Amino acid sequence: MNRHRFPGLRGKWARLDGPAGTQMVDAAIDAMADWMRSGHGANHGGTFAAALATDEVVERARASVAALLGGDPRGIVFGPSMTALTMHFAATVGRTLAPGDEIVCTRLDHDADVRPWLIAAERAGATVRFAEPGGRGSDLELPAAAVEAVLSERTRWIAVTAASNACGTIPDLPGIVAAAGRVGARVYVDAVHAVPHRRMDVGALGSDVLACSAYKWFGPHVGILCARPEVLEELAPDKLRPSSDAVPDRWELGTLPFESLAGVLAAADYLQSLDWAGVRAHEDALLGATLAGLAATPGVTIHGAARDRTSTLMFTVAGYSSAQVATHLAEREIAVWDGNYYAWELFRHLDLEPEGAVRAGFVHYNEAADAERLLGAVGELAR
Ligand SMILES: Cc1ncc(COP(=O)(O)O)c(C=O)c1O
């Protein structure tokens, strides 16, 4: 779908590396170039036209991202990456924790939503408890019960992914948010992998903070928090003295990348314009064909399956390391990822270290020919 909107897809490569970063949509590329060419490049908070234009682009970017995620523009925080924002947020939360307080993390999560909480808890004398995804090998679900099993009256925050960046599993987020409410815990959702695949609505979900990264959804490298403004108000992040104390500004360290925010604004508008039912059907068809083809290929093991999942899959091929498979595919101009993609806990949970696994991810701009090329090239390795 919409391949013509992605100039980066003009070459011969089958780009199945979307989970590591997608191609930018033309509107975002144009918006960034226009911004830089327009003479608008000025800092924010000034009195002259270029500075006022900067204020406007920041405001419009917050509004567009809030509309995309179903949040409040006053809760949109921009930063260099999801990892940097989560480190900052967890460290700030950490200063509110007392010894004996508990944080719940999951073994399905990317390390960016685990390690910051481990560090914060360790400094506070708090405890981190892990929710375990169920099943080995083919089944990998994270039902609400897996989180409920480690909740207690001392749970202060739950950090959970909206979708695994390794195998696509989508946990039961509504059930987890409801369970959090019953013990008075807050929920921090890592939606970095989910946003290009599913329409998120934090208002309906009721999560406290949702983190994502625009380079995973066809925009530039900007990390984003979409928080309930009251949560941002309650907490006191480290900041410089002259910078604004208002929310969300007090969470943003230093000068924002204004040209990139012009791109974020355009990418968020693009995402909102998508036919999401069509995207889902297209991605599911690519996923289904690829899973069926890989399952029929001798020597291939698919890791992780879930009833609800994105079009991201991981597999190993008997007799080859994941790096060897990825290199074989790269030689045929097929871009995939190998290793653990920072899904640190999950790879240990699945006994996939140190070999790793190959990850192929489809987003809406991929086409059936990409899946066919992947299957053909993996088939060459079959034994
Ligand atoms: C699920 C998930 N969470 C967090 C991150 C980290 O995002 P960032 O690169 O913006 O720090 C990634 C990046 O791959 C990811 O896939």
Side-chain angles (χ1 to χ4, degrees):
M1 290 172 74
N2 288 1
R3 278 180 82 80
H4 65 285
R5 300 288 310 271
F6 293 87
L9 297 177
R10 281 187 196 134
K12 289 196 206 130
W13 283 79
R15 296 302 297 259
L16 304 181
D17 60 330
T22 51
Q23 295 300 301
M24 262 172 75
V25 66
D26 53 6
I29 298 170
D30 293 346
M32 290 179 70
D34 288 351
W35 175 263
M36 289 185 275
R37 286 204 185 93
S38 65
H40 281 336
N43 212 330
H44 71 121
T47 54
F48 54 99
L52 294 172
T54 298
D55 290 340
E56 193 194 325
V57 87
V58 175
E59 204 175 307
R60 287 178 56 215
R62 288 199 212 284
S64 182
V65 170
L68 172 69
L69 302 173
D72 184 326
R74 291 175 306 132
I76 302 295
V77 177
F78 295 118
S81 65
M82 179 276 187
T83 302
L85 287 170
T86 305
M87 278 287 183
H88 186 45
F89 190 85
T92 307
V93 167
R95 291 198 294 274
T96 71
L97 298 176
D101 281 344
E102 294 175 4
I103 306 277
V104 168
C105 291
T106 93
R107 295 201 202 281
L108 197 60
D109 274 78
H110 186 285
D111 208 41
D113 200 30
V114 179
R115 182 70 174 145
W117 299 103
L118 288 172
I119 295 170
E122 189 182 333
R123 287 188 183 147
T127 305
V128 173
R129 303 182 71 186
F130 276 95
E132 308 281 347
R136 302 262 157 176
S138 61
D139 288 330
L140 206 65
E141 305 269 3
L142 191 75
V147 172
E148 280 170 312
V150 287
L151 289 185
S152 81
E153 293 303 317
R154 296 301 303 263
T155 311
R156 299 285 305 281
W157 281 83
I158 300 171
V160 60
T161 188
S164 158
N165 67 312
C167 55
T169 297
I170 295 180
D172 176 9
L173 270 191
I176 292 168
V177 172
R182 290 195 286 277
V183 297
R186 294 252 160 94
V187 184
Y188 188 98
V189 176
D190 173 1
V192 171
H193 182 66
V195 171
H197 300 290
R198 294 287 189 279
R199 197 68 204 261
M200 304 302 299
D201 185 346
V202 294
L205 181 63
S207 57
D208 296 282
V209 182
L210 179 141
C212 66
S213 226
Y215 77 98
K216 308 281 191 178
W217 42 266
F218 322 113
H221 290 83
V222 175
I224 298 165
L225 299 184
C226 177
R228 286 199 295 111
E230 311 83 73
V231 173
L232 299 183
E233 297 275 5
E234 274 170 23
L235 294 163
D238 285 339
K239 63 178 281 295
L240 303 186
R241 288 171 295 180
S243 67
S244 169
D245 265 325
V247 158
D249 313 53
R250 75 163 180 247
W251 286 87
E252 294 172 333
L253 297 173
T255 309
L256 289 172
F258 304 121
E259 61 288 336
S260 294
L261 293 188
V264 168
L265 164 57
D269 286 349
Y270 169 73
L271 271 194
Q272 288 182 78
S273 76
L274 285 177
D275 159 18
W276 281 90
V279 167
R280 177 85 184 267
H282 179 73
E283 291 183 356
D284 282 353
L286 294 175
L287 175 72
T290 308
L291 287 174
L294 288 177
T297 307
V300 171
T301 305
I302 299 165
H303 301 277
R307 277 180 295 275
D308 197 6
R309 63 181 296 177
T310 68
S311 44
T312 294
L313 58 99
M314 60 175 183
F315 63 94
T316 47
V317 183
Y320 298 91
S321 70
S322 67
Q324 284 172 323
V325 177
T327 304
H328 170 81
L329 295 174
E331 284 162 3
R332 284 147 187 80
E333 296 180 316
I334 301 168
V336 295
W337 222 263
D338 64 283
N340 64 25
Y341 356 107
Y342 286 25
W344 182 266
E345 297 288 342
L346 183 64
F347 270 64
R348 279 151 185 80
H349 180 74
L350 294 176
D351 294 330
L352 280 172
E353 287 290 350
E355 297 81 12
V358 180
R359 177 182 66 185
F362 299 98
V363 289
H364 69 285
Y365 59 55
N366 289 115
E367 56 188 0
D370 295 331
E372 284 156 19
R373 284 175 63 191
L374 175 72
L375 292 175
V378 174
E380 291 167 9
L381 299 174
R383 324 184 139 184

